[in-house]
Amino acid sequence: MALTATLSLSALPAAADSILFVGNSFTYGEPAGGSPSIQNYNANSVTDLNGLGIGGVPALFKAFTEQAGLNYTVSLETAPGQGLDYHYTNKLALLDKPWDHVVLQSYSTLDASNPGNPAKLIQYAGLFANLLTAQNPNVDINLTATWSRADLTYRTQSPWLGKPIDAMQADVQQGYEQAKASNASINRVLEVGGAWNDAIQSGLADADPYDGVSTGLNLWAPDNYHASVFGYYLEALVVFGNVTGVDPLSLGANERVARDYGFTAEQTLALQRVAHGRVSVPEPSSLLLMGTALAGLGWVRRRRGAAAARA
């Protein structure tokens, strides 16, 4: 009887990890109605806490976890053009729960009324961290540092107008790093914008969508503000790799989301390779070294066992 009960328990599926995404259109996949749309992708696979039926980057993350054999329940709470201050002030009833993982993304310029100033991000990231850890002391809190906007670099008056394309991302990244440093409960900054820079610098992606010369994938949407399907795919890969600890390259050239959007195998692998560079996973050489060390340890133990048997 006890053996039967034990076997029954071992046959039960592992409990799902819960993950919450909080953000704006850089998370939910603006522009709506784009061709093709990220916002509406596989929305029934995730829970939109606002009831708007959005899939977005959270649905891409869900698809990746399924392909990796992982069990995650994915929820999102998003609002267009808002920072973390809006969600904390207006949506706490939806968010104040014991989540296992949380991904927080704020306004693209750090502060809509004071571009480049991280003070509001630091304040509300800290408030969220305190709120979330009160519900679950072991919650894994992630901050998403987003990309340089081409419109603010090449056309529109901003602190980054006329600067290199990676300048805005560097400032945004620094702001998120300061927010992380201000609260020990925040685990990591997801370097999504950094991955965009890597794609541009490697020649995979175009640096200037305004110059009329296409030199690679366009990571921006036609408004040169939001992301294209390639940009959102790269964002989802970086989130997936860091939250789960699974190398994005393990998804492979036939990955389902990329196939749904008509990416070539070369494009899919190239984007996964860029994401790999911004994910904290062991390098293949490290894995080989670890395997060699474990094999050596096993050999030593076997030798010791044989010697003890002879004695």
Side-chain angles (χ1 to χ4, degrees):
M1 186 71 171
L3 177 60
T4 303
T6 301
L7 291 174
S8 299
L9 287 173
S10 65
L12 292 175
D17 272 22
S18 63
I19 183 168
L20 168 70
F21 288 79
V22 177
N24 52 40
S25 54
F26 278 33
T27 292
Y28 70 66
E30 189 74 2
S35 181
S37 170
I38 288 289
Q39 180 174 334
N40 301 321
Y41 183 81
N42 210 14
N44 62 354
S45 69
V46 299
T47 300
D48 181 355
L49 298 178
N50 290 319
L52 301 176
I54 290 172
V57 169
L60 271 61
F61 173 91
K62 174 67 174 179
F64 297 159
T65 61
E66 289 175 341
Q67 293 171 87
L70 304 175
N71 190 7
Y72 278 78
T73 58
V74 181
S75 301
L76 63 134
E77 192 283 298
T78 56
Q82 301 294 341
L84 292 182
D85 53 312
Y86 169 85
H87 301 281
Y88 189 88
T89 303
N90 297 281
K91 300 291 183 173
L92 278 195
L94 298 175
L95 308 178
D96 190 11
K97 298 177 182 179
W99 308 97
D100 295 315
H101 308 271
V102 177
V103 178
L104 302 172
Q105 177 258 312
S106 199
Y107 195 72
S108 62
T109 64
L110 300 179
D111 188 329
S113 59
N114 192 2
N117 188 335
K120 189 178 290 185
L121 168 66
I122 293 169
Q123 176 187 358
Y124 283 92
L127 289 172
F128 262 115
N130 294 337
L131 177 85
L132 295 165
T133 53
Q135 286 278 9
N136 176 11
N138 298 316
V139 62
D140 171 41
I141 302 174
N142 302 267
L143 304 179
T144 302
T146 53
W147 51 87
S148 294
R149 287 172 47 179
D151 61 327
L152 296 184
T153 299
Y154 297 113
R155 288 290 186 271
T156 306
Q157 185 59 48
S158 80
W160 304 284
L161 182 63
K163 294 184 177 181
I165 189 59
D166 59 356
M168 178 178 175
Q169 183 277 330
D171 290 342
V172 170
Q173 177 79 27
Q174 183 179 33
Y176 277 94
E177 293 289 353
Q178 291 178 41
K180 176 184 179 297
S182 72
N183 194 301
S185 297
I186 299 173
N187 292 77
R188 68 183 67 84
V189 175
L190 306 175
E191 300 176 0
V192 171
W196 277 47
N197 286 351
D198 295 343
I200 292 169
Q201 291 167 5
S202 71
L204 173 64
D206 194 3
D208 184 354
Y210 290 101
D211 63 6
V213 180
S214 178
T215 58
L217 301 178
N218 191 349
L219 297 178
W220 291 281
D223 61 5
N224 299 317
Y225 173 166
H226 297 92
S228 67
V229 289
F230 296 114
Y232 284 121
Y233 184 77
L234 183 53
E235 175 183 359
L237 287 172
V238 172
V239 176
F240 164 76
N242 280 289
V243 169
T244 66
V246 176
D247 191 338
L249 278 168
S250 68
L251 296 170
N254 198 39
E255 192 283 314
R256 186 170 76 219
V257 175
R259 193 172 67 243
D260 289 345
Y261 282 105
F263 295 4
T264 67
E266 291 76 14
Q267 290 169 339
T268 303
L269 287 174
L271 289 165
Q272 291 175 3
R273 195 172 296 113
V274 171
H276 165 86
R278 294 286 175 164
V279 170
S280 300
V281 296
E283 293 292 332
S285 58
S286 300
L287 292 174
L288 178 61
L289 185 62
M290 186 184 302
T292 303
L294 290 174
L297 180 60
W299 180 83
V300 169
R301 286 175 174 170
R302 287 194 298 273
R303 292 275 295 182
R304 287 177 176 171
R310 287 195 299 272

